[in-house]
Amino acid sequence: MSEYGIKENIKAVEEIITAECEKCGRDRSEVTLIAVSKTKPVEMLQEAYDYGCRDFGENKVQELMDKYEVMPKDIRWHMIGHLQRNKVKYIVDKVYMIHSVDSFRLAEEISKEAVKKNVTVKILIEVNVANEASKFGTTCEEVRQLVRDIAKLPNISVQGLMTIAPFVDDEEKNRCYFQKLKKISVDIMDENSDNIVMETLSMGMTGDYRVAVSEGATCVRVGTGIFGVR
């Protein structure tokens, strides 16, 4: 029996994702479960890893780097928190994907450091779909142009979009935001631009990932639902 109940939690989350995929005719393999491990000790990450988790999400560069050094090397690290330009150089060659690119200047910095380290960085453009003042992200109106501009930069691969929906008491309230992000993603894909694939929709967290999966999420970011309350 796990000290933290992590394995049981992962199993429960997996069952909900699987059931939702079946309900809307999606293949379970289309959805990646990212264990959001910010502020959690490596012992807890190791337990999730031992149970099969290979995708972990971190909010802070320093914490990601510290864990990167000691955790198994086949982990795919996802930078999901706000990224400052002066910290980019530390993680471009360590992360599997950066979910939180919300400006051309940040993308420029990622591109510059990626060229230096001779890597291509997968990124998602963060969209503040609900227009919350407290959240980062570009607007629904500006995202298409931003994607086009960023796609021209060297050593960057635009993989899709990400949003952090409002914190709500009823997950159904966020359905409209997930639908909107999906529609934007489809519209951008229809433009058939170079270096833009729109294969990834990172949306849905502990409180609303079920609804996100039903609306097309390909990545759900679950922290509390796996590791317990911070």
Side-chain angles (χ1 to χ4, degrees):
M1 179 67 184
S2 133
E3 187 186 340
Y4 310 104
I6 289 170
K7 290 173 185 172
E8 293 77 9
N9 291 346
I10 294 170
K11 190 165 174 280
V13 171
E14 283 285 356
E15 282 169 1
I16 290 170
I17 293 173
T18 301
E20 205 52 50
C21 284
E22 281 172 5
K23 206 189 295 180
C24 54
R26 297 183 68 193
D27 197 288
R28 171 63 190 89
S29 64
E30 291 174 33
V31 184
T32 299
L33 171 59
I34 298 173
V36 178
S37 47
K38 59 179 183 182
T39 75
K40 295 301 180 188
V42 288
E43 297 78 36
M44 292 178 84
L45 276 73
Q46 186 64 50
E47 189 168 327
Y49 178 90
D50 292 343
Y51 191 67
C53 272
R54 291 296 177 270
D55 292 87
F56 289 85
E58 288 290 335
N59 271 43
K60 293 197 161 56
V61 167
Q62 186 62 54
E63 198 175 341
L64 189 152
M65 288 164 59
D66 291 347
K67 289 172 178 173
Y68 176 89
E69 292 306 328
V70 297
M71 291 293 291
K73 287 296 171 265
D74 62 335
I75 285 175
R76 292 180 290 262
W77 294 99
H78 298 258
M79 180 65 194
I80 58 176
H82 182 63
L83 180 57
Q84 292 165 305
R85 295 200 305 280
N86 62 350
K87 302 267 179 76
V88 166
K89 57 179 176 281
Y90 301 116
I91 62 162
V92 286
D93 55 347
K94 295 180 175 68
V95 291
Y96 175 73
M97 191 179 282
I98 298 173
H99 290 232
S100 46
V101 179
D102 58 358
S103 71
F104 185 73
R105 288 175 72 196
L106 174 58
E108 253 183 335
E109 190 63 34
I110 293 169
S111 170
K112 189 179 90 183
E113 294 298 335
V115 168
K116 269 191 212 169
K117 293 204 160 99
N118 197 25
V119 292
T120 296
V121 183
K122 294 178 179 179
I123 65 160
L124 303 178
I125 308 302
E126 181 173 0
V127 188
N128 186 351
V129 183
N131 285 323
E132 290 184 282
S134 62
K135 298 237 172 85
F136 293 102
T138 186
T139 65
C140 293
E141 293 70 41
E142 291 168 354
V143 62
R144 290 173 186 75
Q145 189 57 52
L146 183 60
V147 167
R148 279 185 222 115
D149 293 342
I150 289 174
K152 294 179 186 135
L153 294 167
N155 294 53
I156 269 188
S157 173
V158 182
Q159 297 279 311
L161 307 175
M162 177 265 222
T163 197
I164 300 173
F167 186 74
V168 289
D169 50 1
D170 172 13
E171 60 183 354
E172 284 297 333
K173 289 179 181 167
N174 281 340
R175 190 177 289 279
C176 59
Y177 302 122
F178 299 146
Q179 287 172 338
K180 193 165 184 183
L181 193 71
K182 171 72 175 174
K183 184 182 183 314
I184 293 169
S185 160
V186 170
D187 290 347
I188 293 172
M189 200 158 52
D190 287 346
E191 292 177 10
N192 284 324
S193 303
D194 289 342
N195 198 25
I196 304 169
V197 290
M198 288 294 127
E199 281 175 359
T200 305
L201 263 186
S202 172
M203 57 188 194
M205 293 158 68
T206 295
D208 54 19
Y209 68 88
R210 184 192 64 79
V211 172
V213 169
S214 73
E215 293 300 339
T218 65
C219 285
V220 292
R221 310 178 303 271
V222 180
T224 308
I226 290 175
F227 297 109
V229 181
R230 289 194 169 71

